[in-house]
Amino acid sequence: MWVGFSKSLGGGFRVGVGTRIGGRSSRRRSGPTQAQIAKLEKAQFIKNIAEESNQSLQEYLVNNNIDPVFAERKKLDLDDLLGKGDTASQYQKFKASISEVNEIISKVNYGGNLTASRKDRLVDLVFELREIVGESGPGLNELATQISKKSEKTSIITFSVFLSIVAVLMAVGSFVDDKPITGIADVIPLVMGTGFVAAILYLPAHLVIKMIAKVKYNRQAVAKTKQQYGLA
């Protein structure tokens, strides 16, 4: 089973449903017909199932220490990575479920009817995928959580440092201007000004730190994938 996320899921799972509501005629103002509404609802249902399955696939890979972006870029065959050893049994269950989702959606997209039994089966399969994902362990999710917590902690520290620096600079500035702080009336503007400047500085600093954290996660995720599966 090959990996593809942007347009396909394992084994060529593609979903491309476009539905137009209403005609072009300016004379027609009665709105969409029941048939058109039903067609739109069908397309939306298929789209939701596809997105849910895609999300489950990515989470399943992450939980098995496979970076999804790296897997897609390198066109990794999951059968070679997960189809043997301790992960084989669970992987075969996941593969069977997502392959059945693929098969049903392919038939519907080709022109088959989205019957009540097919809808029920797709919903059951989505929940089966969720259950398997839940049993597959934290994997790279744990790594992402650790890096996220560190980045948040760093952001708070950075904010505190900015706040302290601005406060000191403003205090020094008041003494340079021969206007020493003599009471609470002088403190309030200082605190408000410090908070305002620090708030302005915090957002770009926070975004930069989050970007660095994302880059760090991507590198570690790829490294962990290569290490676990012996990839060059």
Side-chain angles (χ1 to χ4, degrees), residues 129-142:
L129 291 172
R130 286 183 183 178
E131 183 177 355
I132 296 172
V133 169
E135 295 172 351
S136 59
L140 292 174
N141 283 326
E142 185 176 349

Side-chain angles (χ1 to χ4, degrees), residues 44-45 51 98 124:
Q44 188 60 49
F45 177 80
E51 289 177 348
I98 204 167
D124 288 342

Side-chain angles (χ1 to χ4, degrees), residues 57-118:
L57 173 58
Q58 295 193 51
E59 290 182 9
Y60 181 72
L61 293 181
V62 167
N63 285 353
N64 281 281
N65 293 320
I66 299 176
D67 178 59
V69 176
F70 178 78
E72 182 180 16
R73 187 172 68 247
K74 296 297 183 180
K75 304 298 181 186
L76 301 182
D77 189 341
L78 300 186
D79 289 346
D80 293 337
L81 301 183
L82 302 174
K84 59 189 75 172
D86 297 336
T87 60
S89 177
Q90 186 182 73
Y91 170 68
Q92 291 303 327
K93 287 171 55 180
F94 186 88
K95 180 180 177 180
S97 295
I98 204 167
S99 295
E100 189 174 350
V101 171
N102 176 22
E103 181 181 358
I104 294 174
I105 290 182
S106 296
K107 288 179 179 178
V108 172
N109 284 344
Y110 190 73
N113 293 325
L114 183 61
T115 61
S117 60
R118 279 179 172 171

Side-chain angles (χ1 to χ4, degrees), residues 37-223:
I37 292 175
K39 187 177 181 180
L40 178 61
E41 291 176 345
K42 167 186 170 181
Q44 188 60 49
F45 177 80
I46 291 296
K47 181 175 179 290
N48 291 342
I49 292 294
E51 289 177 348
E52 189 75 36
S53 300
N54 184 49
Q55 181 66 26
S56 293
L57 173 58
Q58 295 193 51
E59 290 182 9
Y60 181 72
L61 293 181
V62 167
N63 285 353
N64 281 281
N65 293 320
I66 299 176
D67 178 59
V69 176
F70 178 78
E72 182 180 16
R73 187 172 68 247
K74 296 297 183 180
K75 304 298 181 186
L76 301 182
D77 189 341
L78 300 186
D79 289 346
D80 293 337
L81 301 183
L82 302 174
K84 59 189 75 172
D86 297 336
T87 60
S89 177
Q90 186 182 73
Y91 170 68
Q92 291 303 327
K93 287 171 55 180
F94 186 88
K95 180 180 177 180
S97 295
I98 204 167
S99 295
E100 189 174 350
V101 171
N102 176 22
E103 181 181 358
I104 294 174
I105 290 182
S106 296
K107 288 179 179 178
V108 172
N109 284 344
Y110 190 73
N113 293 325
L114 183 61
T115 61
S117 60
R118 279 179 172 171
K119 289 182 72 172
D120 289 343
R121 183 55 185 157
L122 285 172
V123 172
D124 288 342
L125 288 168
V126 164
F127 277 88
E128 286 179 15
L129 291 172
R130 286 183 183 178
E131 183 177 355
I132 296 172
V133 169
E135 295 172 351
S136 59
L140 292 174
N141 283 326
E142 185 176 349
L143 174 62
T145 300
Q146 293 173 357
I147 294 177
S148 178
K149 287 182 178 179
K150 288 181 180 178
S151 67
E152 290 176 2
K153 183 178 180 180
T154 304
S155 296
I156 293 173
I157 293 174
T158 303
F159 175 76
S160 301
V161 170
F162 278 147
L163 194 65
S164 300
I165 292 175
V166 173
V168 170
L169 291 176
M170 292 184 69
V172 170
S174 67
F175 281 105
V176 170
D177 294 337
D178 295 326
K179 295 178 180 178
I181 298 173
T182 57
I184 192 169
D186 296 324
V187 174
I188 292 177
L190 178 61
V191 172
M192 292 180 63
T194 301
F196 178 73
V197 175
I200 294 176
L201 296 174
Y202 173 73
L203 181 58
H206 176 72
L207 293 177
V208 169
I209 291 170
K210 292 293 287 185
M211 182 179 66
I212 294 173
K214 184 176 181 180
V215 171
K216 182 178 180 181
Y217 168 76
N218 290 341
R219 289 179 177 176
Q220 291 191 22
V222 170

